[in-house]
Amino acid sequence: MVGKSSKQNRKEIRPFNIRDKIGYGLGDFGCNMSFAFVNNYMLLYFVTCMKIDPDHYAIIIFISKILDALNDIVIGRLCDKAKQRKGGKFIPWIRWGCIPLLVSSVLLFVDISGSAYWFKIAYCFVFYFIWGIAYTAVNVPYGSLQSVITRDGDERASLSTYRSVGAMLAQIPIMILIPKLVYDTEGNPIGGRFIWIVLVMGALGLAAFTALSKLVTERVHDQTPAKPELEKTSILFTLRAFFRNRPLLGLCFATIAQISCLNTLTSYLNYIFMLYYKNTDLISIAVIICGLPVAFGIVLSKPLLRRFTKKQVCTYPFLLSIVSIGIITFVPIPNPYIWMALAGVGMLGTSCFMVLIWAMVSDCIDYQEELSGKREEGTIYAIYSFCRNASQGIGQGITALALGWTGYDENLTVAQQAAQVPERVRFTTGLIPFVGCVLCFVFLLLMYNLGDKKGSETFMQQQAAKKAKAKK
């Protein structure tokens, strides 16, 4: 009777379809309603509007991010150890975690410009740390969710694509509207406007997470029961297998390079157009040009995967990025439109990697299962997320320290900055992403070794094909 009932339950699981794709895409829309705004505007808000010294800001971000990164592993482990609940293994975490994420996002941008300097430092640290915990409580389960929606390589690639679509749609208001709202006529940001913007974006994110919980179905956990002898394995067991997982290590290193170095390009757009080109009206256009290549990655990744592996599709376009971003780093370009075009080409080279990275992580989770004999989506994704969170702290810290190196004075207006500041800002805007592109190419080329067949096949599908061929 038990076996028959189990079989009937499996039959009742809804087949994978467009609902899962849309729902999963809405998840990244919800995440980016908070994350993209914080990532792109928190430096501007606390340094330029709240007048925190860039060096102090860098220390705050680095410490809080390292502490928050440790929280990733805790959340991932809790997800794996928690009993199965109604709705699945990961969806309930997302459903309840999105509420504190909305509240902490709003609190982070309360205008404290009239407060004492020590209070600003403490406020920035405490509420950024709280926001990081809330974001982790949503993002780790969300990232792990892809692995339990389906094992099929084509379906995972489509989920990764829809995730990128969701992220891109979330960033559209950031690209177009927000630069028009936060600056005054002289190009200086207005601190009191940030909280109203993040409040609206947080409400949209809450609606997106609610829709995800209704649309997405978890399936894989019913098909892969854990081995009894491995039920009580420790985190050390998981970590040992992780450090033998060469492709996942390569992906982690490439991700660190991408986030801590390459992604600083968008963070610096506010400053290069404030100080070097002296035209904040162009920020919206620049962010669109730098963000638009993701759309090309969404369109091109599927046909490219029919001919090449995920590794090839994600690795070799970085050569284009290295050349293009190298030009804007080492060659002064007085025309802002030429600069934007070259920056856009540079981001184009990263687009397939940004689209397919989530499918690659899922493949690495499958590979981890092959190494350890135990499936731990939450813990493994949490370790990967640890790398992402740590690199976000490193990246924001590097950005703030580099801004201090340029000689930028947060107490002065744009017109009052020292003469050498604009040129140093221009050079720094390109140099850090240039280093990131080089590192991404090297790590993917030398370490990521999954995908010796067409790119849409997962590691587990390739192993099954090899076993079937061996039997013949």
Side-chain angles (χ1 to χ4, degrees):
M1 289 295 291
V2 175
K4 184 176 179 181
S5 175
S6 177
K7 186 175 181 180
Q8 288 173 342
N9 288 337
R10 285 197 296 270
K11 286 183 178 179
E12 292 172 3
I13 297 177
R14 177 180 57 80
F16 180 89
N17 59 28
I18 189 66
R19 280 182 56 183
D20 296 282
K21 299 177 187 179
I22 293 174
Y24 195 69
L26 284 172
D28 214 22
F29 177 90
C31 287
N32 275 280
M33 278 287 108
S34 178
F35 175 78
F37 187 80
V38 171
N39 192 52
N40 286 289
Y41 287 96
M42 187 175 164
L43 174 68
L44 182 70
Y45 181 75
F46 278 102
V47 171
T48 302
C49 299
M50 300 299 108
K51 309 302 181 186
I52 290 180
D53 184 276
D55 293 340
H56 297 162
Y57 177 84
I59 295 171
I60 291 170
I61 298 302
F62 184 75
I63 294 175
S64 58
K65 266 300 179 184
I66 294 299
L67 293 174
D68 180 47
L70 296 173
N71 181 56
D72 286 10
I73 299 176
V74 174
I75 295 295
R77 201 67 177 168
L78 287 174
C79 288
D80 282 333
K81 294 294 184 181
K83 292 182 179 180
Q84 188 75 20
R85 288 176 287 177
K86 184 179 179 181
K89 182 177 181 179
F90 299 111
I91 291 175
W93 286 85
I94 299 170
R95 185 187 298 123
W96 294 107
C98 62
I99 298 172
L101 177 60
L102 167 62
V103 174
S104 60
S105 298
V106 174
L107 291 175
L108 188 59
F109 288 93
V110 170
D111 189 345
I112 54 170
S113 55
S115 304
Y117 189 77
W118 69 266
F119 182 81
K120 295 178 184 179
I121 294 289
Y123 191 94
C124 180
F125 176 80
V126 169
F127 283 99
Y128 183 63
F129 181 64
I130 293 173
W131 174 85
I133 295 174
Y135 182 75
T136 298
V138 173
N139 189 252
V140 168
Y142 172 69
S144 306
L145 179 62
Q146 181 173 351
S147 298
V148 299
I149 295 174
T150 177
R151 276 194 188 271
D152 183 81
D154 290 321
E155 292 171 355
R156 279 187 178 174
S158 67
L159 286 174
S160 196
T161 298
Y162 272 76
R163 177 171 183 167
S164 299
V165 171
M168 185 177 67
L169 291 177
Q171 292 169 17
I172 285 176
I174 297 175
M175 295 175 183
I176 299 173
L177 296 177
I178 294 177
K180 301 291 185 183
L181 298 175
V182 300
Y183 290 98
D184 62 21
T185 55
E186 297 180 356
N188 297 298
I190 305 170
R193 294 182 180 178
F194 284 75
I195 190 171
W196 301 108
I197 296 170
V198 78
L199 183 61
V200 172
M201 294 178 70
L204 292 173
L206 183 63
F209 287 127
T210 303
L212 175 147
S213 68
K214 302 293 184 182
L215 294 173
V216 172
T217 299
E218 298 184 19
R219 299 175 181 83
V220 171
H221 56 272
D222 285 337
Q223 302 169 18
T224 55
K227 298 178 181 179
E229 66 272 20
L230 296 176
E231 282 290 347
K232 296 183 179 181
T233 51
S234 68
I235 186 65
L236 294 178
F237 175 88
T238 304
L239 288 173
R240 281 196 296 268
F242 171 80
F243 285 110
R244 290 189 290 125
N245 192 332
R246 177 179 166 182
L248 184 54
L249 287 173
L251 202 58
C252 287
F253 291 144
T255 298
I256 291 171
Q258 177 210 357
I259 296 176
S260 63
C261 297
L262 180 55
N263 285 2
T264 62
L265 180 65
T266 55
S267 300
Y268 254 105
L269 289 177
N270 292 301
Y271 288 98
I272 191 171
F273 284 98
M274 272 200 307
L275 299 166
Y276 188 76
Y277 291 116
K278 293 182 171 52
N279 188 345
T280 56
D281 290 336
L282 295 178
I283 294 176
S284 297
I285 300 173
V287 177
I288 291 172
I289 291 174
C290 290
L292 190 61
V294 175
F296 289 98
I298 292 169
V299 173
L300 294 175
S301 58
K302 188 172 182 178
L304 286 173
L305 286 176
R306 296 193 187 105
R307 299 188 60 184
F308 306 101
T309 67
K310 290 190 186 81
K311 175 176 179 174
Q312 291 169 333
V313 171
C314 294
T315 302
Y316 292 103
F318 271 104
L319 293 173
L320 178 65
S321 302
I322 291 170
V323 173
S324 183
I325 296 180
I327 293 173
I328 65 174
T329 302
F330 300 106
V331 180
I333 300 174
N335 188 312
Y337 295 99
I338 296 176
W339 187 93
M340 287 188 286
L342 288 167
V345 172
M347 297 306 292
L348 179 63
T350 73
S351 59
C352 286
F353 176 68
M354 289 190 289
V355 170
L356 294 173
I357 187 171
W358 311 111
M360 296 166 78
V361 171
S362 293
D363 291 349
C364 290
I365 289 174
D366 285 347
Y367 185 64
Q368 179 85 1
E369 181 183 1
E370 185 78 6
L371 291 174
S372 67
K374 185 176 182 181
R375 190 164 185 85
E376 297 178 296
E377 303 95 344
T379 304
I380 301 307
Y381 184 85
I383 296 173
Y384 172 72
S385 184
F386 171 91
C387 296
R388 292 186 69 89
N389 260 336
S391 56
Q392 287 162 15
I394 294 169
Q396 292 186 50
I398 289 173
T399 303
L401 289 173
L403 186 63
W405 171 81
T406 65
Y408 176 79
D409 189 335
E410 69 278 6
N411 295 307
L412 302 178
T413 65
V414 171
Q416 295 171 336
Q417 298 295 327
Q420 77 275 11
V421 171
E423 173 57 27
R424 287 185 176 182
V425 166
R426 180 207 64 78
F427 178 72
T428 305
T429 302
L431 179 64
I432 302 173
F434 174 76
V435 172
C437 289
V438 173
L439 292 176
C440 283
F441 176 76
V442 171
F443 289 132
L444 290 174
L445 181 68
L446 299 181
M447 296 189 69
Y448 189 85
N449 58 352
L450 290 184
D452 55 354
K453 293 186 178 181
K454 70 170 187 172
S456 60
E457 287 189 337
T458 67
F459 172 77
M460 300 297 274
Q461 287 174 312
Q462 293 173 20
Q463 290 296 97
K466 287 179 181 179
K467 290 177 183 178
K469 187 176 180 181
K471 289 181 180 180
K472 293 180 180 179

